[in-house]
Amino acid sequence: MSNNNHRSNPNWPPLQFDQIGPAELIGEGFLFTEGPLWNREQGYLLFSDITGNTIYKWVLPDTLEVFRQPSHYANGLAYDRHGNLLAAEHGARRVSRLTPDGRLETLADNYQGRKFHSPNDIAVRSDNTIYFTDPPYGLGRRPPELPFMGLYRVDPSGKLHLEGEYDQYPNGLAFSPDEKTLYLALTEGDEVVAMDVADDGSTSRVRSFARVPYPDGMAVDLAGNIYVAGEDGVAVLTPDGTQLGTIITQRMPANCTFAGPEGNWLIITARDQLYRVLVPIPGF
């Protein structure tokens, strides 16, 4: 199963911010929503309620049900290329893998024998290389075992690689449509950085891409525009990092993803709420 469609289209017209619809509230009453993930084949949305220790399933048009509880305080969610659901679990300090037949496994929970802080967000390349961030937001009072915050890569053979050490809380991450660039939010640095991705999955040439106040989760449309949840709302950036505007929600957003039958809904998780925005260029 492939939930992402990595197709860049050079013929997309430039994104105009006034073509983006208003944020429509579609759910509330949660504790802290995060990790939105669209299942294209079956037409439903998954999202985490971190504090509620639950992963929810929203079935069109308006059916909400519990998907997994307890979730070990899961945050970011992603599908790998075999249809497994990956979850960044704060409670278990790991990235877990839920198979289609219901087996819950550990993909990664330590680096060189030291437990992760609290894995936060996940991105999967089309060859099944998996990237995740590990800031200490979900560590609580548990003592850290690693002296740095990391960006990690799990290659298709299952080997874990440390891609970078950071001190500004690495958080959300997403690929450009051609998968040659990986974007990473450094939350406490108020910055989104970009890095090159080689054929073997290794990253290099980390560079500043855009300044966004308190950036968190992000999503990229098929034309390469980047939507970044941050302190002021969801910042909408062109592929060269120019900010076109900000999508405003009542609560501070934490993450976003593309969803819907045509991929042209932007789903935004914002504290105790969930929003939907109609966008002119679909995502993948």
Side-chain angles (χ1 to χ4, degrees):
M1 168 183 165
S2 175
N3 199 55
N4 290 349
N5 187 358
H6 293 275
R7 293 180 292 116
S8 59
N9 185 342
N11 298 318
W12 287 109
L15 178 64
Q16 303 296 322
F17 186 77
D18 60 9
Q19 296 175 318
I20 298 173
E24 172 194 359
L25 180 66
I26 58 173
E28 59 184 337
F30 306 101
L31 296 178
F32 196 105
T33 56
E34 249 283 10
L37 175 65
W38 179 249
N39 185 304
R40 178 177 298 167
E41 284 78 5
Q42 299 183 49
Y44 63 76
L45 180 81
L46 296 178
F47 64 95
S48 299
D49 185 342
I50 301 175
T51 309
N53 201 17
T54 302
I55 298 172
Y56 284 102
K57 178 180 179 180
W58 176 46
V59 184
L60 300 179
D62 56 8
T63 301
L64 184 69
E65 56 190 63
V66 170
F67 179 82
R68 181 182 157 203
Q69 187 183 55
S71 67
H72 299 297
Y73 303 98
N75 187 336
L77 306 174
Y79 286 112
D80 71 13
R81 299 304 164 229
H82 305 296
N84 302 303
L85 176 65
L86 308 177
E89 298 180 0
H90 287 181
R93 299 168 71 172
R94 68 175 182 175
V95 176
S96 67
R97 176 171 55 206
L98 181 64
T99 66
D101 62 4
R103 288 179 291 115
L104 186 62
E105 307 166 341
T106 296
L107 175 71
D109 65 358
N110 73 90
Y111 178 68
Q112 297 183 344
R114 296 181 179 183
K115 290 283 289 181
F116 297 134
H117 300 311
S118 54
N120 188 288
D121 207 355
I122 307 170
V124 183
R125 200 169 69 161
S126 57
D127 69 345
N128 211 43
T129 302
I130 298 162
Y131 300 77
F132 65 93
T133 53
D134 186 40
Y137 286 118
L139 193 58
R141 296 183 178 180
R142 296 172 295 182
E145 297 185 18
L146 289 162
F148 57 83
M149 308 172 204
L151 169 65
Y152 295 93
R153 166 173 58 100
V154 179
D155 67 31
S157 73
K159 183 178 179 180
L160 178 72
H161 306 262
L162 175 64
E163 287 298 318
E165 300 179 10
Y166 295 89
D167 60 7
Q168 294 292 335
Y169 289 68
N171 199 328
L173 67 171
F175 282 104
S176 62
D178 63 7
E179 299 185 323
K180 294 181 179 180
T181 303
L182 181 66
Y183 301 103
L184 171 65
L186 299 180
T187 301
E188 304 295 333
D190 296 328
E191 183 178 30
V192 176
V193 298
M195 62 194 76
D196 295 343
V197 183
D199 289 346
D200 68 357
S202 60
T203 58
S204 63
R205 206 169 70 88
V206 180
R207 57 203 180 270
S208 180
F209 177 72
R211 302 293 298 180
V212 176
Y214 214 74
D216 200 331
M218 64 182 80
V220 179
D221 69 21
L222 292 176
N225 302 295
I226 303 97
Y227 293 70
V228 184
E231 187 174 55
D232 298 332
V234 177
V236 182
L237 310 172
T238 65
D240 68 3
T242 300
Q243 184 165 338
L244 297 177
T246 303
I247 300 170
I248 303 300
T249 54
Q250 294 177 14
R251 306 285 193 270
M252 179 178 165
N255 210 335
C256 57
T257 196
F258 289 95
E262 305 300 323
N264 62 345
W265 299 348
L266 186 74
I267 301 295
I268 303 171
T269 57
R271 280 18 188 202
D272 59 327
Q273 297 180 335
L274 196 68
Y275 289 86
R276 177 174 61 187
V277 176
L278 188 64
V279 293
I281 301 175
F284 55 86

